[in-house]
Amino acid sequence: MQRKLHHWAVDDSGRQFDDLFNLVHHPCFLAVAWERVRTNRGARSAGPDGTPPRSYGSVDAIRMLSALREEIKERRFRPDPVREAMIPKTNGKLRRLGIASSQDRVVQASLKLVLEPIFEADFRPCSYGFRPRRRAQDAIAEIHFLAGGSRAYHWVFEADITACFDEIDHTALMDRVRGRIADRRVLTLVKAFLKAGILSEDQAVRDNLTGTPQGGILSPLLSNIALSVLDEHFDAKWKTLGPEWTRRKHRRAGRPTMKIVRYADDFVVMVHGTREHAEALWDEVAAVLAPVGLRLSVEKSRVCHVDEGFDFLGFRIQRRRKRGTDKRHVYTWPSKKALASVLGKVRRLTRRRRHRTLADLLRHLNPVLRGWCNYFQHGVSKQTFSYLDHYSWWRVVTWMRKRHAGLAWGVFSRRFLPGWQIADGKTAMFRPEQVTVTRYRYRGAQITTPWTARLPEPAASTA
């Protein structure tokens, strides 16, 4: 059904879908939605109902889904206010999360199953965040592609949106949703989640007049719908330049060309032109964002040259001279901020009384090291991996020595570090220096959705 919805949307860019409500409460959609809610990372977090999804047994889940289906079908369903949770950010500030009840998460997941294939037909290739089969490495690869070689997009407008999830205008967002969805029952459900309210830590309920709760299952899709105004704006500017030969003529005349690369609310605009052309984007981007209630963050937005370098999605991107030559190439590697973040996690995990056994320590430490290295293995990261390996190894060894304070180093190393490897039984320490660094293949606009392949046509009747 998702594949059909996607191809109907692709084949007719102006089509409005007016009979989707029966899919939202369909038993199969609700079953898939529940499975995704039960198995995702937030399944242990309880919403305002106090019951985390992971705590439901199979019988309780069946009863809950059956009752939920009847409520939706009879249009009696009303979402509860989300539970507010404040978590610290790396800059010392707090991020506000909204944790919904288990039932509300299921309905949001079902709505996403219905709406996502439709809106994926309209999203531009330059958007990479919270979209199926797309990842941050694709965004970095496109920046690397644009800034290198003869393409020469050397000026960068690096931008960030202030409190994006909290300030999206509901009216503007719903207008964009109505561009594709004509079923009023579905629109009512979406609007109900936007207006559900927030249950603060002091148990007071307050209205949320703008924004969509960060942490909600439906929120990333809704934010992409709102932020696609940026993608459409720069895509329209690009299309007005015409084919390749007219774009070259445009460049020779000293006029700029621009490409946007966006990952959720973080984006950069790559400019082939001058610094003045990039500086002019401050007012232009602000004017595009204003109708959806958003504004640029003055502190996190700036204009820079690729030779100066900039940080994006944890990577440092900069053009440098290749060692031993006069040629300049664009390189990407883990930023200082990203490295400091993982070192902080290693430091916290290896505190003296944090774990009772070495195996327990390694079971918590290894996923952190492995995940960080898998994310950055497509950059020039070998030296950084070696440093992380050295730091982590000594932190674990220091933790072990504190538990065997009376042993001399020679005795300790022979007994606990055979071959200088750290292990406890079958649990061995993950070594970042052994991770292979590989080049990430730029996929451009060739990234397919899960629903790209078309269903086979039914065979013609011979009767």
Side-chain angles (χ1 to χ4, degrees), residues 90 308 310-318 320 332-344 347 372 376 384 387:
T90 55
E308 179 186 350
F310 62 99
D311 294 348
F312 188 62
L313 303 180
F315 283 88
R316 180 70 179 176
I317 306 170
Q318 189 172 1
R320 288 184 169 185
T332 59
W333 65 91
S335 67
K336 291 182 179 180
K337 185 177 180 181
L339 178 59
S341 176
V342 72
L343 293 180
R347 188 163 51 251
W372 196 86
F376 289 105
T384 307
Y387 177 79

Side-chain angles (χ1 to χ4, degrees), residues 53-54 125 168 246 341 350 366 416 425 450:
R54 192 65 63 87
I168 294 176
T246 59
S341 176
T350 52
N366 284 349
F416 298 106

Side-chain angles (χ1 to χ4, degrees), residues 1-68:
M1 193 65 237
Q2 283 187 311
R3 192 174 298 178
K4 287 182 178 180
L5 291 172
H6 181 69
H7 287 293
W8 290 336
V10 170
D11 294 340
D12 186 357
S13 60
R15 176 169 181 167
Q16 290 184 304
F17 293 79
D18 57 1
D19 189 17
L20 299 176
F21 188 69
N22 60 320
L23 295 178
V24 176
H25 62 74
H26 192 282
C28 294
F29 275 76
L30 289 175
V32 174
W34 167 246
E35 183 63 20
R36 295 190 178 183
V37 168
R38 187 184 65 83
T39 57
N40 69 9
R41 292 177 58 185
R44 292 187 176 91
S45 300
D49 57 347
T51 307
R54 192 65 63 87
S55 67
Y56 277 83
S58 57
V59 176
D60 294 332
I62 292 173
R63 290 174 180 170
M64 182 266 289
L65 292 177
S66 178
L68 188 60

